[in-house]
Amino acid sequence: VSRPPQGHPVIIQSGSSEEGKEKAAKWGELIFTAQLSFEHAREFYADVKSRLAKFGRSPEDVKIAPGVFFILGDTHDEALENEAQLNSFVDTKTAANRLSVRLGIDLLSLPLDKPLSVENARRADEVNGPRSRHQLILEMVKRESLTPRQLIHRLAGGRGHYHFVGTPAKLADHIEEWFTGNAADAFNLMPSVYKRDFPLFIKHVVPELQRRGLFRTAYAGETLRDSLGLKRPVNVLTKELIAA
């Protein structure tokens, strides 16, 4: 069987624990990560890229793509209205029950609109599941002084990813800051309402990024590997035959 055009499919990895970052540096080619701020994204980016050399890899061999959940509007107020409409569909009681199990805190016994304390919440090392995401949620609550209701709404949409509400131009600013500031090589787009926000992204954000020289105007090839600017991997079987 001949090799596929990409050499092998692009290896996509997620996970921000120490073990996850080591696997990303050794095997991953496209890294899907959740980062809530530019500073945290830049730290993660530098950390993963710094691990590549010991595996004989270069920074260009790995592309890091944080998720960005976005709600767009022609004006900031319109975007806020779209967000409020989405939040109105959330089943607060069910969401609070699920989040109570995750955090180890009975949210329904607490005021939903007063800042939440997570000092007595379950620690990340006590979680039998994605620990890095659990720690990310705890840090988000502390940093932003979120209420239980606000936390529920944030997780219902972005699920712990960067949460953007605003105009296409402001989203382009955000993407430019992270891309040029060594916090991201690409982005995993998470439109809040696919049929509304994704077309708005294509119609308004993409042309703005092209105008700034940050997005392609033509495809470099026909495969995902080409689009990501990743090299076609060397055929390890050929290398073994040459060595023999």
Side-chain angles (χ1 to χ4, degrees):
V1 178
S2 61
R3 296 184 82 204
Q6 297 190 105
H8 61 65
V10 175
I11 298 176
I12 303 174
Q13 184 270 350
S14 67
S16 301
S17 66
E18 283 300 306
E19 182 181 3
K21 287 184 282 191
E22 281 292 287
K23 288 182 178 179
K26 185 175 182 178
W27 303 109
E29 296 179 290
L30 178 63
I31 311 305
F32 178 40
T33 179
Q35 303 295 331
L36 287 173
S37 70
F38 171 73
E39 291 74 19
H40 286 163
R42 187 162 58 177
E43 289 174 8
F44 177 85
Y45 185 98
D47 189 354
V48 172
K49 297 278 185 173
S50 69
R51 299 171 188 245
L52 297 172
K54 64 183 176 183
F55 298 111
R57 308 180 73 195
S58 66
E60 294 74 28
D61 294 333
V62 176
K63 305 298 182 181
I64 297 177
V68 55
F69 170 84
F70 58 93
I71 302 173
L72 297 177
D74 290 334
T75 65
H76 186 70
D77 286 343
E78 182 180 306
L80 289 175
E81 290 174 3
N82 291 337
E83 180 185 37
Q85 181 186 37
L86 283 177
N87 288 340
S88 71
F89 300 136
V90 174
D91 183 339
T92 302
K93 184 176 181 179
T94 299
N97 278 328
R98 291 180 177 177
L99 197 52
S100 295
V101 174
R102 171 189 278 274
L103 297 178
I105 301 173
D106 183 6
L107 296 183
L108 288 176
S109 68
L110 301 174
L112 289 179
D113 295 307
K114 290 187 177 181
L116 172 65
S117 171
V118 291
E119 295 304 320
N120 296 320
R122 184 176 289 115
R123 300 193 310 272
D125 59 7
E126 298 174 327
V127 174
N128 184 21
R131 295 179 177 177
S132 59
R133 185 63 58 87
H134 183 85
Q135 184 61 35
L136 182 147
I137 292 171
L138 296 181
E139 292 175 357
M140 177 173 65
V141 173
K142 292 178 182 178
R143 184 175 61 254
E144 302 182 33
S145 298
L146 296 178
T147 68
R149 192 187 306 277
Q150 289 171 329
L151 178 60
I152 288 168
H153 289 165
R154 290 285 292 276
L155 295 180
R159 300 181 295 285
H161 290 274
Y162 186 85
H163 186 105
F164 176 88
V165 181
T167 63
K170 287 295 183 182
L171 180 54
D173 290 341
H174 160 78
I175 290 173
E176 180 174 18
E177 179 188 24
W178 285 40
F179 186 75
T180 61
N182 294 325
D185 296 309
F187 291 88
N188 191 354
L189 300 179
M190 304 166 65
S192 61
V193 178
Y194 186 85
K195 289 186 177 181
R196 179 191 67 199
D197 293 286
F198 191 64
L200 287 174
F201 186 94
I202 298 300
K203 183 177 180 180
H204 298 294
V205 181
V206 169
E208 180 61 23
L209 293 175
Q210 290 173 329
R211 186 185 68 78
R212 301 182 191 190
L214 298 172
F215 194 77
R216 68 173 69 88
T217 56
Y219 285 98
E222 298 181 348
T223 67
L224 175 61
R225 186 174 295 279
D226 293 331
S227 296
L228 292 170
L230 292 169
K231 294 181 294 186
R232 191 171 190 264
V234 174
N235 190 332
V236 293
L237 298 179
T238 300
K239 287 171 61 179
E240 290 175 359
L241 287 174
I242 292 174

